[in-house]
Each structure stands twice: as C-alpha cells, then as structure tokens.
Amino acid sequence: MLGKYSIAYKGLSIGKHRFNFSVDDRFFEAFEGSEIQEGHADVSVNLDKQSHLLTLDFTIKGEVAVTCDRCLEEFMMPVDYSGRLIVRFSETRDECDGEVMWISPSETEINLAQYIYESICLSLPYQRVHPTDENGKSGCDPDMLARFSIVTEEEFEKLSHKQETESFQDDLETIKQKMEK
C-alpha cells in the first residue's frame, strides 16, 4: 500500500523533476497506532537530482480528522505544510533526522510515506480546538462545554498570580459557586 509513495530516482536525469501524490484514509490506516484515522491531502514533491544528493521540496495541503481538546468532538483540521528533505548517500544503514535522510548508494528508489505521515502530524498545532466562525462563535459543542464547566483563561490567570492566601481562597470559592450553577 505505501509503495505508491516511492520515487524511483535512479533512472532520472540530473535536474528537476515533479511528483504528485494523494493521501487518504487508507494511507493513515497503514500506520499502526496513528492518531489520525481520516483525512485527505495532496502532496507535491519537487525533486532536484544531483550526482551526490537529492533535494526534495514538499508541499502538503489538505485536512485531517482530529479530536478537539476543548469539547472532545472530532473535526476536520486543515493541513498546510512546506518542507525540505535532503537525501544523501552512504553505506551506513538508513537513517533520517527529519531534514537529512541517508540511504545506500545501491538503492534505486526512495519511499516517502513515513516522511509524508510525520510531516502531516508535525504540522498540526499542539492545541487542537474547533475554529471560530465568521461571527467569532466557537465551533465546539455547547452541550459538552456546559458539562465541563470550563474555567475561563482570565479566571485561571487571576488565580495563578495571586500571592495572598485569603484572596486566593475567596477566588476559589467564587469558582466553586460558578461550577455548581
């Protein structure tokens, strides 16, 4: 399944070449334990073949299903990634540090599936929440938010900067009263 994300570079002439791939749900399912199970994206790869290395410039655009950190509902998050991978040739075993991949000079093709998958995952923000609509309203499920009785960021900041114990206790009591409502 992941073999279709390979480029047979050995027969290519020195110079620039362009390749396009599409990823879908089956792509993500091929990675065991993947946090992403659904999604689609278009991958564009510009390969510059030189005698001693390959330079691959990636552009990935699409969307993947993620779980909202705020309301726990799944939603489609846009993916927009641009990056460069340098492929160098060496007799040592295959290695990749995210920017440079080492492969044996006897290899005839390079499989990009792992790099594409990791690039998509790393392009996602650390905090994943529903975007707001054009009116500034959150896309989160309001019923779920009400169940969580979320403490606002302003209240959290106020609590974390309090120095006096009495003021801190008063603020905690106020929050407890809000949560009981």
Side-chain angles (χ1 to χ4, degrees):
M1 159 57 194
L2 296 178
K4 70 180 185 178
Y5 300 98
S6 293
I7 296 175
Y9 64 86
K10 206 60 151 186
L12 297 175
S13 61
I14 300 292
K16 298 184 186 228
H17 306 274
R18 184 177 179 90
F19 298 90
N20 293 302
F21 303 98
S22 290
V23 298
D24 57 16
D25 297 349
R26 292 184 328 143
F27 174 82
F28 295 108
E29 290 167 4
F31 292 92
E32 192 172 316
S34 173
E35 67 178 293
I36 301 170
Q37 296 299 315
E38 294 178 42
H40 59 276
D42 294 318
V43 180
S44 174
V45 180
N46 291 317
L47 182 145
D48 186 5
K49 181 179 180 184
Q50 299 168 20
S51 60
H52 58 286
L53 65 86
L54 305 172
T55 303
L56 297 101
D57 291 312
F58 288 81
T59 303
I60 304 172
K61 293 187 184 290
E63 61 183 7
V64 295
V66 296
T67 302
C68 178
D69 291 334
R70 188 180 296 147
C71 71
L72 305 178
E73 184 178 279
E74 197 171 85
F75 71 101
M76 296 304 283
M77 176 164 273
V79 172
D80 190 358
Y81 173 81
S82 294
R84 174 172 280 178
L85 176 65
I86 306 294
V87 179
R88 296 192 180 268
F89 304 104
S90 173
E91 291 298 337
T92 60
R93 68 183 190 97
D94 294 351
E95 298 176 12
C96 183
D97 70 3
E99 295 175 8
V100 178
M101 178 185 285
W102 297 88
I103 62 174
S104 170
S106 63
E107 293 288 325
T108 59
E109 64 181 34
I110 179 170
N111 188 300
L112 302 173
Q114 186 70 37
Y115 182 83
I116 293 169
Y117 172 76
E118 289 175 5
S119 297
I120 290 171
C121 290
L122 292 174
S123 72
L124 296 173
Y126 178 71
Q127 187 175 34
R128 301 168 190 166
V129 294
H130 280 93
T132 55
D133 64 16
E134 60 276 352
N135 298 323
K137 184 179 177 190
S138 171
C140 287
D141 178 4
D143 293 333
M144 189 60 84
L145 292 180
R147 290 181 192 164
F148 288 138
S149 301
I150 293 176
V151 175
T152 66
E153 192 173 318
E154 182 180 298
E155 290 170 326
F156 180 79
E157 287 293 320
K158 188 175 176 182
L159 286 174
S160 63
H161 289 18
K162 288 290 183 187
Q163 298 294 324
E164 300 175 53
T165 307
E166 288 182 17
S167 294
F168 184 73
Q169 292 299 329
D170 291 343
D171 289 340
L172 282 176
E173 188 60 37
T174 302
I175 290 174
K176 285 181 186 176
Q177 290 173 356
K178 284 184 181 180
M179 292 176 73
E180 292 174 355
K181 290 183 181 180

mmCIF file of all heavy atoms in Angstrom, residues 104-145:
data_model
loop_
_atom_site.group_PDB
_atom_site.id
_atom_site.type_symbol
_atom_site.label_atom_id
_atom_site.label_comp_id
_atom_site.label_asym_id
_atom_site.label_seq_id
_atom_site.Cartn_x
_atom_site.Cartn_y
_atom_site.Cartn_z
ATOM 1 N N SER A 104 21.581 4.003 1.144
ATOM 2 C CA SER A 104 22.689 3.318 0.476
ATOM 3 C C SER A 104 22.759 3.728 -1.000
ATOM 4 O O SER A 104 21.715 3.882 -1.647
ATOM 5 C CB SER A 104 22.474 1.809 0.581
ATOM 6 O OG SER A 104 23.391 1.137 -0.249
ATOM 7 N N PRO A 105 23.957 3.886 -1.543
ATOM 8 C CA PRO A 105 24.105 4.212 -2.959
ATOM 9 C C PRO A 105 23.541 3.123 -3.878
ATOM 10 O O PRO A 105 23.241 3.378 -5.037
ATOM 11 C CB PRO A 105 25.614 4.348 -3.161
ATOM 12 C CG PRO A 105 26.190 4.497 -1.810
ATOM 13 C CD PRO A 105 25.238 3.863 -0.853
ATOM 14 N N SER A 106 23.365 1.917 -3.368
ATOM 15 C CA SER A 106 22.820 0.829 -4.174
ATOM 16 C C SER A 106 21.293 0.883 -4.286
ATOM 17 O O SER A 106 20.703 0.169 -5.101
ATOM 18 C CB SER A 106 23.257 -0.519 -3.607
ATOM 19 O OG SER A 106 22.729 -0.692 -2.312
ATOM 20 N N GLU A 107 20.645 1.696 -3.475
ATOM 21 C CA GLU A 107 19.184 1.840 -3.546
ATOM 22 C C GLU A 107 18.800 2.449 -4.889
ATOM 23 O O GLU A 107 19.539 3.251 -5.460
ATOM 24 C CB GLU A 107 18.666 2.741 -2.421
ATOM 25 C CG GLU A 107 18.805 2.168 -1.039
ATOM 26 C CD GLU A 107 17.845 1.037 -0.764
ATOM 27 O OE1 GLU A 107 16.695 1.067 -1.260
ATOM 28 O OE2 GLU A 107 18.249 0.107 -0.063
ATOM 29 N N THR A 108 17.599 2.106 -5.360
ATOM 30 C CA THR A 108 17.132 2.637 -6.645
ATOM 31 C C THR A 108 15.912 3.537 -6.496
ATOM 32 O O THR A 108 15.534 4.232 -7.431
ATOM 33 C CB THR A 108 16.774 1.493 -7.611
ATOM 34 O OG1 THR A 108 15.748 0.698 -7.012
ATOM 35 C CG2 THR A 108 18.000 0.649 -7.912
ATOM 36 N N GLU A 109 15.284 3.479 -5.320
ATOM 37 C CA GLU A 109 14.116 4.323 -5.076
ATOM 38 C C GLU A 109 14.079 4.756 -3.618
ATOM 39 O O GLU A 109 14.742 4.165 -2.764
ATOM 40 C CB GLU A 109 12.813 3.619 -5.473
ATOM 41 C CG GLU A 109 12.475 2.388 -4.676
ATOM 42 C CD GLU A 109 11.182 1.740 -5.137
ATOM 43 O OE1 GLU A 109 10.876 1.778 -6.347
ATOM 44 O OE2 GLU A 109 10.478 1.209 -4.285
ATOM 45 N N ILE A 110 13.294 5.763 -3.363
ATOM 46 C CA ILE A 110 13.146 6.277 -2.003
ATOM 47 C C ILE A 110 11.658 6.307 -1.670
ATOM 48 O O ILE A 110 10.855 6.840 -2.435
ATOM 49 C CB ILE A 110 13.789 7.665 -1.851
ATOM 50 C CG1 ILE A 110 13.606 8.187 -0.428
ATOM 51 C CG2 ILE A 110 13.270 8.652 -2.856
ATOM 52 C CD1 ILE A 110 14.397 9.424 -0.119
ATOM 53 N N ASN A 111 11.306 5.689 -0.534
ATOM 54 C CA ASN A 111 9.915 5.680 -0.105
ATOM 55 C C ASN A 111 9.688 6.884 0.803
ATOM 56 O O ASN A 111 10.378 7.057 1.801
ATOM 57 C CB ASN A 111 9.571 4.386 0.630
ATOM 58 C CG ASN A 111 8.087 4.284 0.904
ATOM 59 O OD1 ASN A 111 7.509 5.128 1.583
ATOM 60 N ND2 ASN A 111 7.461 3.261 0.370
ATOM 61 N N LEU A 112 8.703 7.695 0.459
ATOM 62 C CA LEU A 112 8.440 8.948 1.171
ATOM 63 C C LEU A 112 7.263 8.861 2.134
ATOM 64 O O LEU A 112 6.921 9.858 2.774
ATOM 65 C CB LEU A 112 8.189 10.066 0.151
ATOM 66 C CG LEU A 112 9.324 10.307 -0.840
ATOM 67 C CD1 LEU A 112 8.893 11.302 -1.898
ATOM 68 C CD2 LEU A 112 10.562 10.786 -0.111
ATOM 69 N N ALA A 113 6.624 7.703 2.257
ATOM 70 C CA ALA A 113 5.409 7.569 3.068
ATOM 71 C C ALA A 113 5.630 8.020 4.511
ATOM 72 O O ALA A 113 4.841 8.796 5.053
ATOM 73 C CB ALA A 113 4.900 6.135 3.031
ATOM 74 N N GLN A 114 6.694 7.549 5.153
ATOM 75 C CA GLN A 114 6.945 7.908 6.557
ATOM 76 C C GLN A 114 7.172 9.411 6.701
ATOM 77 O O GLN A 114 6.654 10.040 7.619
ATOM 78 C CB GLN A 114 8.148 7.120 7.096
ATOM 79 C CG GLN A 114 8.400 7.315 8.582
ATOM 80 C CD GLN A 114 7.331 6.664 9.446
ATOM 81 O OE1 GLN A 114 6.833 5.592 9.129
ATOM 82 N NE2 GLN A 114 6.975 7.315 10.539
ATOM 83 N N TYR A 115 7.939 9.987 5.782
ATOM 84 C CA TYR A 115 8.207 11.424 5.840
ATOM 85 C C TYR A 115 6.908 12.219 5.660
ATOM 86 O O TYR A 115 6.665 13.191 6.380
ATOM 87 C CB TYR A 115 9.227 11.833 4.777
ATOM 88 C CG TYR A 115 9.564 13.303 4.832
ATOM 89 C CD1 TYR A 115 10.519 13.777 5.726
ATOM 90 C CD2 TYR A 115 8.916 14.221 4.020
ATOM 91 C CE1 TYR A 115 10.822 15.129 5.797
ATOM 92 C CE2 TYR A 115 9.209 15.577 4.082
ATOM 93 C CZ TYR A 115 10.164 16.022 4.969
ATOM 94 O OH TYR A 115 10.444 17.360 5.046
ATOM 95 N N ILE A 116 6.060 11.808 4.723
ATOM 96 C CA ILE A 116 4.781 12.493 4.491
ATOM 97 C C ILE A 116 3.913 12.406 5.738
ATOM 98 O O ILE A 116 3.354 13.405 6.196
ATOM 99 C CB ILE A 116 4.059 11.907 3.259
ATOM 100 C CG1 ILE A 116 4.848 12.222 1.988
ATOM 101 C CG2 ILE A 116 2.627 12.417 3.167
ATOM 102 C CD1 ILE A 116 4.380 11.464 0.750
ATOM 103 N N TYR A 117 3.807 11.196 6.301
ATOM 104 C CA TYR A 117 2.994 10.998 7.501
ATOM 105 C C TYR A 117 3.483 11.875 8.657
ATOM 106 O O TYR A 117 2.698 12.586 9.303
ATOM 107 C CB TYR A 117 3.011 9.521 7.908
ATOM 108 C CG TYR A 117 2.356 9.277 9.237
ATOM 109 C CD1 TYR A 117 0.963 9.284 9.363
ATOM 110 C CD2 TYR A 117 3.115 9.058 10.385
ATOM 111 C CE1 TYR A 117 0.362 9.078 10.587
ATOM 112 C CE2 TYR A 117 2.520 8.848 11.608
ATOM 113 C CZ TYR A 117 1.147 8.862 11.707
ATOM 114 O OH TYR A 117 0.543 8.681 12.934
ATOM 115 N N GLU A 118 4.781 11.840 8.926
ATOM 116 C CA GLU A 118 5.333 12.622 10.033
ATOM 117 C C GLU A 118 5.184 14.118 9.784
ATOM 118 O O GLU A 118 4.930 14.886 10.725
ATOM 119 C CB GLU A 118 6.795 12.258 10.260
ATOM 120 C CG GLU A 118 6.962 10.878 10.857
ATOM 121 C CD GLU A 118 8.406 10.426 10.993
ATOM 122 O OE1 GLU A 118 9.320 11.232 10.706
ATOM 123 O OE2 GLU A 118 8.616 9.268 11.392
ATOM 124 N N SER A 119 5.313 14.556 8.548
ATOM 125 C CA SER A 119 5.151 15.979 8.228
ATOM 126 C C SER A 119 3.728 16.441 8.499
ATOM 127 O O SER A 119 3.511 17.536 9.021
ATOM 128 C CB SER A 119 5.527 16.240 6.769
ATOM 129 O OG SER A 119 6.887 15.940 6.552
ATOM 130 N N ILE A 120 2.761 15.612 8.159
ATOM 131 C CA ILE A 120 1.358 15.955 8.432
ATOM 132 C C ILE A 120 1.131 16.044 9.932
ATOM 133 O O ILE A 120 0.551 17.015 10.427
ATOM 134 C CB ILE A 120 0.410 14.939 7.769
ATOM 135 C CG1 ILE A 120 0.457 15.105 6.245
ATOM 136 C CG2 ILE A 120 -1.014 15.096 8.294
ATOM 137 C CD1 ILE A 120 -0.261 14.020 5.465
ATOM 138 N N CYS A 121 1.600 15.036 10.670
ATOM 139 C CA CYS A 121 1.411 15.039 12.129
ATOM 140 C C CYS A 121 2.083 16.244 12.785
ATOM 141 O O CYS A 121 1.501 16.896 13.658
ATOM 142 C CB CYS A 121 1.956 13.748 12.739
ATOM 143 S SG CYS A 121 0.988 12.296 12.340
ATOM 144 N N LEU A 122 3.301 16.550 12.365
ATOM 145 C CA LEU A 122 4.037 17.660 12.981
ATOM 146 C C LEU A 122 3.510 19.030 12.566
ATOM 147 O O LEU A 122 3.769 20.025 13.244
ATOM 148 C CB LEU A 122 5.524 17.545 12.661
ATOM 149 C CG LEU A 122 6.226 16.360 13.317
ATOM 150 C CD1 LEU A 122 7.661 16.238 12.817
ATOM 151 C CD2 LEU A 122 6.188 16.468 14.829
ATOM 152 N N SER A 123 2.753 19.087 11.478
ATOM 153 C CA SER A 123 2.211 20.375 11.045
ATOM 154 C C SER A 123 0.961 20.759 11.840
ATOM 155 O O SER A 123 0.537 21.912 11.811
ATOM 156 C CB SER A 123 1.886 20.356 9.550
ATOM 157 O OG SER A 123 0.747 19.560 9.289
ATOM 158 N N LEU A 124 0.398 19.796 12.548
ATOM 159 C CA LEU A 124 -0.793 20.084 13.348
ATOM 160 C C LEU A 124 -0.400 20.870 14.592
ATOM 161 O O LEU A 124 0.652 20.620 15.176
ATOM 162 C CB LEU A 124 -1.490 18.778 13.754
ATOM 163 C CG LEU A 124 -2.042 17.952 12.595
ATOM 164 C CD1 LEU A 124 -2.542 16.602 13.113
ATOM 165 C CD2 LEU A 124 -3.143 18.697 11.871
ATOM 166 N N PRO A 125 -1.235 21.814 15.010
ATOM 167 C CA PRO A 125 -0.893 22.585 16.208
ATOM 168 C C PRO A 125 -0.929 21.721 17.461
ATOM 169 O O PRO A 125 -1.608 20.691 17.502
ATOM 170 C CB PRO A 125 -1.984 23.665 16.257
ATOM 171 C CG PRO A 125 -3.105 23.121 15.468
ATOM 172 C CD PRO A 125 -2.522 22.204 14.439
ATOM 173 N N TYR A 126 -0.201 22.166 18.455
ATOM 174 C CA TYR A 126 -0.149 21.445 19.723
ATOM 175 C C TYR A 126 -1.543 21.379 20.345
ATOM 176 O O TYR A 126 -1.977 20.349 20.833
ATOM 177 C CB TYR A 126 0.841 22.126 20.671
ATOM 178 C CG TYR A 126 0.927 21.475 22.022
ATOM 179 C CD1 TYR A 126 1.524 20.232 22.170
ATOM 180 C CD2 TYR A 126 0.394 22.085 23.148
ATOM 181 C CE1 TYR A 126 1.593 19.609 23.397
ATOM 182 C CE2 TYR A 126 0.456 21.469 24.383
ATOM 183 C CZ TYR A 126 1.061 20.239 24.497
ATOM 184 O OH TYR A 126 1.118 19.631 25.726
ATOM 185 N N GLN A 127 -2.232 22.506 20.344
ATOM 186 C CA GLN A 127 -3.589 22.553 20.879
ATOM 187 C C GLN A 127 -4.557 22.543 19.707
ATOM 188 O O GLN A 127 -4.475 23.387 18.817
ATOM 189 C CB GLN A 127 -3.804 23.790 21.737
ATOM 190 C CG GLN A 127 -5.139 23.781 22.440
ATOM 191 C CD GLN A 127 -5.302 24.954 23.387
ATOM 192 O OE1 GLN A 127 -4.798 26.027 23.123
ATOM 193 N NE2 GLN A 127 -6.018 24.738 24.462
ATOM 194 N N ARG A 128 -5.465 21.601 19.712
ATOM 195 C CA ARG A 128 -6.403 21.425 18.608
ATOM 196 C C ARG A 128 -7.814 21.720 19.086
ATOM 197 O O ARG A 128 -8.388 20.948 19.852
ATOM 198 C CB ARG A 128 -6.302 20.001 18.076
ATOM 199 C CG ARG A 128 -4.893 19.705 17.597
ATOM 200 C CD ARG A 128 -4.680 18.264 17.334
ATOM 201 N NE ARG A 128 -3.251 18.051 17.107
ATOM 202 C CZ ARG A 128 -2.684 16.891 17.113
ATOM 203 N NH1 ARG A 128 -3.398 15.808 17.317
ATOM 204 N NH2 ARG A 128 -1.395 16.781 16.903
ATOM 205 N N VAL A 129 -8.334 22.857 18.664
ATOM 206 C CA VAL A 129 -9.690 23.256 19.036
ATOM 207 C C VAL A 129 -10.446 23.698 17.792
ATOM 208 O O VAL A 129 -9.854 24.162 16.824
ATOM 209 C CB VAL A 129 -9.709 24.382 20.093
ATOM 210 C CG1 VAL A 129 -9.134 23.911 21.410
ATOM 211 C CG2 VAL A 129 -8.976 25.599 19.604
ATOM 212 N N HIS A 130 -11.759 23.531 17.854
ATOM 213 C CA HIS A 130 -12.602 23.965 16.741
ATOM 214 C C HIS A 130 -12.314 25.431 16.411
ATOM 215 O O HIS A 130 -12.180 26.250 17.320
ATOM 216 C CB HIS A 130 -14.089 23.872 17.118
ATOM 217 C CG HIS A 130 -14.656 22.501 17.019
ATOM 218 N ND1 HIS A 130 -14.697 21.649 18.088
ATOM 219 C CD2 HIS A 130 -15.213 21.841 15.977
ATOM 220 C CE1 HIS A 130 -15.281 20.518 17.718
ATOM 221 N NE2 HIS A 130 -15.587 20.609 16.441
ATOM 222 N N PRO A 131 -12.258 25.753 15.136
ATOM 223 C CA PRO A 131 -12.086 27.170 14.777
ATOM 224 C C PRO A 131 -13.366 27.946 15.056
ATOM 225 O O PRO A 131 -14.441 27.362 15.183
ATOM 226 C CB PRO A 131 -11.775 27.114 13.280
ATOM 227 C CG PRO A 131 -12.322 25.810 12.817
ATOM 228 C CD PRO A 131 -12.288 24.874 13.982
ATOM 229 N N THR A 132 -13.239 29.246 15.147
ATOM 230 C CA THR A 132 -14.409 30.097 15.326
ATOM 231 C C THR A 132 -14.992 30.420 13.957
ATOM 232 O O THR A 132 -14.285 30.447 12.951
ATOM 233 C CB THR A 132 -14.047 31.407 16.057
ATOM 234 O OG1 THR A 132 -13.010 32.057 15.344
ATOM 235 C CG2 THR A 132 -13.574 31.120 17.475
ATOM 236 N N ASP A 133 -16.292 30.671 13.923
ATOM 237 C CA ASP A 133 -16.939 31.019 12.657
ATOM 238 C C ASP A 133 -16.764 32.506 12.364
ATOM 239 O O ASP A 133 -16.093 33.226 13.118
ATOM 240 C CB ASP A 133 -18.416 30.603 12.656
ATOM 241 C CG ASP A 133 -19.263 31.332 13.696
ATOM 242 O OD1 ASP A 133 -18.825 32.376 14.225
ATOM 243 O OD2 ASP A 133 -20.380 30.865 13.975
ATOM 244 N N GLU A 134 -17.373 32.983 11.290
ATOM 245 C CA GLU A 134 -17.211 34.383 10.885
ATOM 246 C C GLU A 134 -17.780 35.369 11.906
ATOM 247 O O GLU A 134 -17.429 36.541 11.913
ATOM 248 C CB GLU A 134 -17.837 34.624 9.503
ATOM 249 C CG GLU A 134 -19.320 34.345 9.407
ATOM 250 C CD GLU A 134 -19.659 32.879 9.161
ATOM 251 O OE1 GLU A 134 -18.761 32.066 8.917
ATOM 252 O OE2 GLU A 134 -20.847 32.537 9.249
ATOM 253 N N ASN A 135 -18.633 34.890 12.815
ATOM 254 C CA ASN A 135 -19.190 35.745 13.870
ATOM 255 C C ASN A 135 -18.399 35.662 15.169
ATOM 256 O O ASN A 135 -18.802 36.226 16.184
ATOM 257 C CB ASN A 135 -20.652 35.359 14.142
ATOM 258 C CG ASN A 135 -21.522 35.559 12.935
ATOM 259 O OD1 ASN A 135 -21.334 36.514 12.177
ATOM 260 N ND2 ASN A 135 -22.465 34.650 12.718
ATOM 261 N N GLY A 136 -17.287 34.900 15.145
ATOM 262 C CA GLY A 136 -16.457 34.772 16.336
ATOM 263 C C GLY A 136 -16.951 33.722 17.317
ATOM 264 O O GLY A 136 -16.458 33.620 18.427
ATOM 265 N N LYS A 137 -17.942 32.927 16.901
ATOM 266 C CA LYS A 137 -18.502 31.897 17.777
ATOM 267 C C LYS A 137 -17.721 30.595 17.597
ATOM 268 O O LYS A 137 -17.433 30.176 16.488
ATOM 269 C CB LYS A 137 -19.972 31.670 17.434
ATOM 270 C CG LYS A 137 -20.650 30.704 18.352
ATOM 271 C CD LYS A 137 -22.106 30.528 18.010
ATOM 272 C CE LYS A 137 -22.709 29.482 18.929
ATOM 273 N NZ LYS A 137 -24.035 29.086 18.515
ATOM 274 N N SER A 138 -17.392 29.949 18.697
ATOM 275 C CA SER A 138 -16.645 28.692 18.676
ATOM 276 C C SER A 138 -17.459 27.588 18.015
ATOM 277 O O SER A 138 -18.683 27.526 18.165
ATOM 278 C CB SER A 138 -16.296 28.277 20.107
ATOM 279 O OG SER A 138 -15.754 26.975 20.118
ATOM 280 N N GLY A 139 -16.780 26.700 17.302
ATOM 281 C CA GLY A 139 -17.432 25.555 16.682
ATOM 282 C C GLY A 139 -17.601 24.385 17.639
ATOM 283 O O GLY A 139 -18.115 23.340 17.255
ATOM 284 N N CYS A 140 -17.180 24.555 18.889
ATOM 285 C CA CYS A 140 -17.282 23.490 19.884
ATOM 286 C C CYS A 140 -18.739 23.190 20.217
ATOM 287 O O CYS A 140 -19.609 24.068 20.149
ATOM 288 C CB CYS A 140 -16.549 23.883 21.166
ATOM 289 S SG CYS A 140 -14.760 23.852 21.005
ATOM 290 N N ASP A 141 -18.979 21.964 20.630
ATOM 291 C CA ASP A 141 -20.302 21.514 21.027
ATOM 292 C C ASP A 141 -20.679 22.209 22.340
ATOM 293 O O ASP A 141 -20.066 21.952 23.377
ATOM 294 C CB ASP A 141 -20.282 19.998 21.206
ATOM 295 C CG ASP A 141 -21.605 19.434 21.661
ATOM 296 O OD1 ASP A 141 -22.591 20.176 21.784
ATOM 297 O OD2 ASP A 141 -21.649 18.204 21.891
ATOM 298 N N PRO A 142 -21.692 23.102 22.316
ATOM 299 C CA PRO A 142 -22.040 23.854 23.529
ATOM 300 C C PRO A 142 -22.516 22.972 24.683
ATOM 301 O O PRO A 142 -22.265 23.271 25.838
ATOM 302 C CB PRO A 142 -23.146 24.821 23.082
ATOM 303 C CG PRO A 142 -23.582 24.353 21.734
ATOM 304 C CD PRO A 142 -22.527 23.474 21.183
ATOM 305 N N ASP A 143 -23.196 21.873 24.366
ATOM 306 C CA ASP A 143 -23.652 20.971 25.432
ATOM 307 C C ASP A 143 -22.468 20.344 26.160
ATOM 308 O O ASP A 143 -22.470 20.229 27.379
ATOM 309 C CB ASP A 143 -24.548 19.864 24.857
ATOM 310 C CG ASP A 143 -25.856 20.398 24.313
ATOM 311 O OD1 ASP A 143 -26.314 21.458 24.798
ATOM 312 O OD2 ASP A 143 -26.422 19.759 23.405
ATOM 313 N N MET A 144 -21.463 19.956 25.400
ATOM 314 C CA MET A 144 -20.279 19.350 26.010
ATOM 315 C C MET A 144 -19.527 20.381 26.844
ATOM 316 O O MET A 144 -19.063 20.074 27.944
ATOM 317 C CB MET A 144 -19.374 18.777 24.928
ATOM 318 C CG MET A 144 -18.242 17.949 25.474
ATOM 319 S SD MET A 144 -18.765 16.516 26.428
ATOM 320 C CE MET A 144 -19.036 15.340 25.137
ATOM 321 N N LEU A 145 -19.422 21.603 26.346
ATOM 322 C CA LEU A 145 -18.741 22.653 27.111
ATOM 323 C C LEU A 145 -19.451 22.920 28.429
ATOM 324 O O LEU A 145 -18.815 23.126 29.460
ATOM 325 C CB LEU A 145 -18.637 23.935 26.290
ATOM 326 C CG LEU A 145 -17.722 23.882 25.072
ATOM 327 C CD1 LEU A 145 -17.728 25.231 24.362
ATOM 328 C CD2 LEU A 145 -16.317 23.488 25.460
#
